[in-house]
Amino acid sequence: MKKYLIAACLLVASVATQAQMRVNLGENSPLNKLRIAEMAITNLYVDTLSEDKLVEDAIRGMLEKLDPHSSYTTAKETKALTEPLTGSFEGVGIQFNMSKDTLLIIQPVVNGPSEKVGILAGDRILTVNDTTIAGVKMSREEIMKRLRGPKGTKVKLGIMRRGVNDMLYFIVKRDKIPVKTLDAAYMIRPQVGYVRIGSFGATTYDEFMTAVSTLQQQGMRKLILDLQDNGGGYLQAAVRIANEFLQRNDLIVYTQGRNAQRQEFRAQGNGKLKDVEVVVLVNEFSASAAEIVTGAIQDQDRGQVVGRRSFGKGLVQRPIEFKDGSMMRLTIAHYYTPAGRCIQKPYTKGEGQDYALELDQRYKHGELYSADSIHFSDSLKCYTLRKHRTVYGGGGIMPDIFVPLDTTQYTNFHRKLSAHGLIINANLNYIDQQRRVLKKKYSTFATFNKNFEVPTSLIDSLIEEGRKQKITPKDDTELQQALPSLRLQLKALIARDLWDMSEYYQVMNENNHTVQRAISLLQ
């Protein structure tokens, strides 16, 4: 343990040597004081305790007094956090949801291990290696732990299939399963492409360029780049995507910190989208790498930004890995847009609670509903690099065109049904019973999207289930107001389960005010 503690300090010191700093290891040094305290607690404290946990708590305690994004994660937590960004994990390759304590397969991954052995959408997994997982209230995490495993290992799955009386058994050989970071890519209007990026991971650029190539073959001349709810990810992925839109030597972003010299990231001039008109969509949950792309396009006057002010996460973390697989992410610099705006919103060191509630404060102050509620100091004023338009720093990216949050779109009744999982469950039950009929009737998504209407019986069963759980509309007016959005969401969920997420967004985007505003701009 002491070796890990010293190794961590030496690693931090090696970073600091770039600024010609030294760690004082003398008898009166803070490091020596920390070492003595750890040794005393370990050897003299009245109760037995874990030395590993003691050191982990000490690291967390130090980081909690810093900025909101410096953090420590255990080996297990580190793996869970990095998996979605690294582009793959090892498992059986299924998309699933839990329906009445039973794992229901939504879709097997195309060409994945489960599809190769004949597992189908709609199958229920009842046993894993002869251990029952259905009807025993096993946690989702525990089920995933049993399904995942090293590439090449085998797992025996016991499956019930609609129309088959006996249990079916499949031996699945685990493999690497790709993790997609693109949620959707399709032609939303003639000549207008739409791409939604969920996060910026190791495979995002390749996914993006594959989608772009397909859309250009379909006649794309303009692009809506949807970064709403995108929490960020890898800096390099954001830089590579921004590069596709910019001219040679255009500044994309730069980083600078107390002991980190200014580092600039510039466009190479080899992008395939330099002549494509672009609109970027953001909201209050767009952060970090999403803000880098948005800031670059806005500051270089390359395209318009539509939506609401982004989150404001502009701190650069350097990962410091420990031998046991745990990791410390230490903030070493700030991100700055090409115009010199600091993306990071204000914070007080050690006050993580207030920082976490900042979005609630935006809501209370009315910022999500009116651009007039947002006030910037003149000291934060900057200018775009080509047209010299006024933009502001000091926290997030303010869009060129503000689209307020529409609280009338979803009633309180709808929100309660959603919060209790009743809409998802109603969809799962319906798709489980009607999958074959729907697939036969709607051979393509285009025919489904044009002709399918959510049956009244599905709406009635959803409302009845809500009534059983004491979730009811306050009056008939609220019910009638909720019905269109309920039908739209259910149709989108059914489309997702029959095809994929791209089809889900094709349905939902027709009622998304931010997306529709972008379409009107490009048309």
Side-chain angles (χ1 to χ4, degrees), residues 368-417:
L368 303 184
Y369 313 112
S370 172
D372 294 336
S373 299
I374 308 169
H375 303 287
F376 294 103
S377 168
D378 285 343
S379 63
L380 301 174
K381 187 180 294 186
C382 296
Y383 300 94
T384 61
L385 302 183
R386 285 175 169 78
K387 298 181 180 179
H388 306 293
R389 297 180 297 114
T390 301
V391 288
Y392 290 90
I397 304 296
M398 184 66 188
D400 302 306
I401 298 172
F402 180 83
V403 178
L405 183 67
D406 185 1
T407 56
T408 64
Q409 188 173 3
Y410 296 104
T411 65
N412 191 46
F413 174 56
H414 186 145
R415 285 192 288 269
K416 285 183 178 180
L417 289 174

Side-chain angles (χ1 to χ4, degrees), residues 206-417:
D206 291 336
E207 292 178 57
F208 178 72
M209 294 312 297
T210 298
V212 163
S213 177
T214 300
L215 294 177
Q216 287 182 328
Q217 291 173 15
Q218 296 174 7
M220 181 184 75
R221 298 292 181 269
K222 306 174 183 180
L223 173 65
I224 297 172
L225 179 59
D226 192 345
L227 302 181
Q228 295 178 96
D229 303 321
N230 183 315
Y234 290 155
L235 164 66
Q236 197 58 41
V239 168
R240 294 183 73 187
I241 286 177
N243 173 75
E244 293 299 316
F245 296 93
L246 301 176
Q247 301 297 322
R248 181 174 177 80
N249 209 39
D250 280 353
L251 183 61
I252 295 172
V253 67
Y254 68 90
T255 64
Q256 193 168 7
R258 182 173 66 93
N259 292 312
Q261 295 180 351
R262 173 166 170 152
Q263 183 178 9
E264 296 184 349
F265 298 85
R266 293 183 176 272
Q268 299 175 10
N270 59 350
K272 295 184 178 180
L273 297 168
K274 290 187 293 183
D275 298 321
V276 171
E277 188 176 351
V278 61
V279 173
V280 183
L281 311 185
V282 294
N283 63 8
E284 57 275 12
F285 299 109
S286 306
S288 187
E291 294 174 297
I292 289 173
V293 174
T294 307
I297 288 177
Q298 187 179 57
D299 283 8
Q300 296 289 357
D301 290 300
R302 179 58 186 82
Q304 296 191 78
V305 179
V306 175
R308 294 182 293 279
R309 181 163 67 102
S310 63
F311 181 85
K313 198 277 186 185
L315 298 177
V316 184
Q317 278 76 52
R318 173 165 291 178
I320 298 172
E321 299 178 0
F322 298 99
K323 290 183 179 179
D324 63 351
S326 60
M327 179 184 291
M328 178 170 69
R329 289 176 174 81
L330 187 67
T331 297
I332 62 167
H334 287 88
Y335 288 119
Y336 294 89
T337 69
R341 291 183 287 167
C342 181
I343 296 173
Q344 179 61 41
K345 62 185 177 182
Y347 63 89
T348 302
K349 291 182 179 178
E351 297 295 332
Q353 184 70 16
D354 290 344
Y355 184 82
L357 295 174
E358 192 268 342
L359 292 183
D360 290 340
Q361 293 302 316
R362 294 192 199 183
Y363 181 87
K364 292 176 181 177
H365 293 158
E367 177 181 327
L368 303 184
Y369 313 112
S370 172
D372 294 336
S373 299
I374 308 169
H375 303 287
F376 294 103
S377 168
D378 285 343
S379 63
L380 301 174
K381 187 180 294 186
C382 296
Y383 300 94
T384 61
L385 302 183
R386 285 175 169 78
K387 298 181 180 179
H388 306 293
R389 297 180 297 114
T390 301
V391 288
Y392 290 90
I397 304 296
M398 184 66 188
D400 302 306
I401 298 172
F402 180 83
V403 178
L405 183 67
D406 185 1
T407 56
T408 64
Q409 188 173 3
Y410 296 104
T411 65
N412 191 46
F413 174 56
H414 186 145
R415 285 192 288 269
K416 285 183 178 180
L417 289 174

Side-chain angles (χ1 to χ4, degrees), residues 84-263:
L85 296 177
T86 53
S88 68
F89 64 92
E90 295 174 351
V92 298
I94 56 170
Q95 298 175 33
F96 71 91
N97 217 322
M98 299 304 297
S99 175
K100 298 179 181 178
D101 287 338
T102 302
L103 188 154
L104 176 65
I105 297 176
I106 302 300
Q107 293 283 358
V109 174
V110 177
N111 294 323
S114 293
E115 186 186 67
K116 288 179 179 177
V117 298
I119 292 175
L120 304 175
D123 286 349
R124 287 173 165 80
I125 299 181
L126 303 187
T127 64
V128 179
N129 287 332
D130 297 324
T131 298
T132 300
I133 65 169
V136 294
K137 297 189 181 300
M138 186 177 290
S139 69
R140 188 185 184 98
E141 291 74 19
E142 181 63 26
I143 292 173
M144 290 177 64
K145 182 179 177 181
R146 293 176 182 274
L147 291 174
R148 292 186 179 185
K151 176 182 177 180
T153 58
K154 296 180 179 180
V155 59
K156 179 183 177 184
L157 303 181
I159 283 178
M160 285 300 296
R161 180 171 293 169
R162 183 172 289 275
V164 179
N165 294 328
D166 297 328
M167 180 97 81
L168 302 175
Y169 292 96
F170 296 88
I171 303 297
V172 181
K173 187 177 181 180
R174 297 184 179 99
D175 204 346
K176 278 194 173 294
I177 309 301
V179 177
K180 292 182 179 180
T181 58
L182 252 66
D183 292 333
Y186 67 98
M187 293 296 293
I188 195 166
R189 293 291 186 274
Q191 297 190 350
V192 181
Y194 170 92
V195 175
R196 181 183 174 99
I197 302 177
S199 62
F200 287 89
T203 61
T204 303
Y205 176 75
D206 291 336
E207 292 178 57
F208 178 72
M209 294 312 297
T210 298
V212 163
S213 177
T214 300
L215 294 177
Q216 287 182 328
Q217 291 173 15
Q218 296 174 7
M220 181 184 75
R221 298 292 181 269
K222 306 174 183 180
L223 173 65
I224 297 172
L225 179 59
D226 192 345
L227 302 181
Q228 295 178 96
D229 303 321
N230 183 315
Y234 290 155
L235 164 66
Q236 197 58 41
V239 168
R240 294 183 73 187
I241 286 177
N243 173 75
E244 293 299 316
F245 296 93
L246 301 176
Q247 301 297 322
R248 181 174 177 80
N249 209 39
D250 280 353
L251 183 61
I252 295 172
V253 67
Y254 68 90
T255 64
Q256 193 168 7
R258 182 173 66 93
N259 292 312
Q261 295 180 351
R262 173 166 170 152
Q263 183 178 9

Side-chain angles (χ1 to χ4, degrees), residues 447-481:
T447 57
F448 170 90
N449 197 29
K450 181 180 180 181
N451 300 313
F452 177 79
E453 293 184 4
V454 174
T456 303
S457 58
L458 176 55
I459 296 292
D460 290 343
S461 65
L462 172 59
I463 294 172
E464 177 60 28
E465 188 60 35
R467 187 177 293 112
K468 290 178 182 177
Q469 299 195 29
K470 299 182 179 179
I471 300 173
T472 57
K474 63 181 180 180
D475 51 34
D476 188 62
T477 300
E478 184 182 25
L479 174 61
Q480 295 305 317
Q481 187 179 352

Side-chain angles (χ1 to χ4, degrees), residues 25-39:
L25 297 175
E27 290 185 4
N28 295 323
S29 70
L31 181 61
N32 194 47
K33 184 177 181 179
L34 181 64
R35 182 180 62 84
I36 293 171
E38 187 278 324
M39 291 177 63

